[in-house]
Amino acid sequence: MSNLGEAFSLPISALQHWLFCPRQCALIHVERLWAENQLTAEGRVLHAQADGGTAERRGGVRVLRTVQLGSERLGLHGVADVVEIHGTRILPVEYKRGRPKPHRADEVQLCAQGMCLEDMTGQAIAEGALFYGETRRRMAVPFDDGLRSLTSSIAAEARAALASGRLPPPVHDPRRCRACSLFDLCRPERMQAPPAVRRWLERAIASDAIPGGPE
């Protein structure tokens, strides 16, 4: 990771991880742990298909792939799967393997890409698009004030937490945890209710006391 303070830059993907689960985010971006399951493998293949190839033109639209992004103001860096240039309009497009989610993690990740592009180009970007592999449809995402504010606050919150180097405690959510590729590394059920080590040590010390009690 980058140095702490102003030089600390967070990967844009970490915002999605943070909103899904702060502990997962820290395991990936602080502890540098990773494991793959079917969901992550399918997502990796989809991203490889989107990122593959070079810039091209489609019906007057210029398509850029694997675009490097960064913003010192936000303390973020990353890669956009696709950036489309529609005349003077810039449209970031993020590819996801599943379907639209009840939370806003995907939208925050996409908005962060748009805000980085704004800082890099000096041009206002009104919206982006999410393409979901299961539905095979694009979903337009307006970058309104509410989403921009949420994205900025999540970026600041995640940067501060990860810069501390501390691992958030686990919160066992069966449905969410089953989908996480880091489940075996995280062990949320075990770590949420760890063994009473202190009480075990106290009993062990007491059992080794000199017979007859203190002199």
Side-chain angles (χ1 to χ4, degrees), residues 80 82-84 90-94 110 113-114 117 125 127-129 143:
V82 169
V83 175
E84 296 179 353
I90 299 174
L91 183 79
V93 183
E94 176 70 11
L110 180 66
Q113 294 178 7
L117 283 167
I125 299 176
E127 66 176 9
F143 297 154

Side-chain angles (χ1 to χ4, degrees), residues 167-213:
L167 191 64
V171 177
H172 185 229
D173 178 336
R175 182 176 180 182
R176 181 182 60 182
C177 291
R178 280 196 301 269
C180 179
S181 66
L182 301 184
F183 180 82
D184 290 337
L185 297 172
C186 177
R187 297 179 297 168
E189 291 178 285
R190 178 70 168 174
M191 297 306 295
Q192 186 169 311
V197 175
R198 181 175 180 179
R199 291 197 298 273
W200 178 85
L201 286 173
E202 289 173 347
R203 288 197 299 269
I205 292 171
S207 68
D208 289 338
I210 299 175

